[in-house]
Structure formats: C-alpha cells, structure tokens
C-alpha cells in the first residue's frame, strides 16, 4: 500500500516537493509510500500541493521523466510516479485532486484539497 503520512492536525496549506511535505511556519511532514494512514490531517478545505515530475499513466514517458525514473531506480531503488498513482493515494487519503499545473523543466504541481 502507498499513501501520505502527516502528523499535524491544523494544516491549512501544505506543499510537497520530492521527499518532504512542508508547512509554514517551521513544521515538516513526511511522504511515505510504505504506509497508508487515515486521511491526512489537513484542516477542512485545506490544500496539498505536490510539486514533482509525473510519468504518464503507462509509466513509459515522457522520455526525460522515464529516463530520470530509471536513473532513480538504478541508484536508489526509487522511481518517479504517475499522476494517476498520486491521485490514487490522494483519494485513499480522503483528498480530491485537480489538474496538474505545469511548471519548469518537466515538473508540475498537482493540487489536492480535503473533501
């Protein structure tokens, strides 16, 4: 199982960028694919912003992301994930995801909010 793990209960906005979730001021949340806890502890209507690279749903492109994912696997046994995988985990965690907002260098932001 995969999922989100957050420990604060009053977060109104959280941003995730490859490896950690951060909330101002001075609080850190973790992203953990090995556990699937209850819905993340966001305040009602709180928002989660995931900034990352996203594989397509077939997990074979776009080419720069697929190559990056292969490199991650070779060096760390990790990999890049598809938007569909993130959306699945967000849904399991009780969040509703939106469309990805493209940013620079093959990255994007996947917004989600508490239902």
């Amino acid at each position: 199982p995969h999922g989100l793990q957050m420990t604060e209960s009053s977060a109104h906005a959280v941003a995730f960028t490859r490896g950690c979730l951060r909330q101002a001021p001075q609080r850190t949340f973790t992203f953990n694919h090995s556990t699937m806890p209850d819905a993340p502890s966001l305040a009602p209507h709180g928002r989660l912003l995931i900034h990352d690279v996203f594989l397509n749903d077939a997990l074979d492109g776009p080419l720069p992301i697929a190559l990056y994912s292969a490199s991650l696997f070779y060096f760390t046994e990790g990999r890049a994930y598809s938007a569909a995988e993130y959306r699945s985990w967000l849904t399991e965690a009780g969040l509703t995801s939106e469309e990805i907002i493209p940013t620079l260098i093959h990255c994007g932001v996947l917004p989600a909010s508490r239902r």
Side-chain angles (χ1 to χ4, degrees):
H2 301 293
L4 298 169
Q5 180 178 13
M6 295 171 53
T7 57
E8 294 290 329
S9 61
S10 61
H12 292 281
V14 177
F16 163 65
T17 181
R18 177 94 16 222
C20 76
L21 294 167
R22 297 178 191 268
Q23 179 214 357
Q26 316 289 324
R27 294 190 183 122
T28 300
F29 300 90
T30 60
F31 183 78
N32 186 339
H33 290 71
S34 64
T35 61
M36 184 62 223
D38 294 331
S41 300
L42 283 177
H45 307 290
R47 293 182 50 86
L48 175 70
L49 305 174
I50 299 172
H51 184 249
D52 206 348
V53 297
F54 300 96
L55 286 167
N56 61 27
D57 291 348
L59 306 179
D60 61 2
L63 182 59
I65 307 310
L67 293 172
Y68 172 66
S69 186
S71 174
L72 281 175
F73 186 77
Y74 179 79
F75 290 108
T76 68
E77 296 185 16
R79 68 177 183 87
Y81 299 98
S82 70
E85 289 172 300
Y86 276 111
R87 286 189 174 105
S88 166
W89 302 326
L90 292 166
T91 299
E92 288 179 45
L95 299 174
T96 302
S97 61
E98 301 169 20
E99 291 299 314
I100 293 175
I101 302 164
T103 59
L104 298 175
I105 313 173
H106 309 293
C107 292
V109 173
L110 175 59
S113 58
R114 189 161 182 71
R115 293 184 214 157

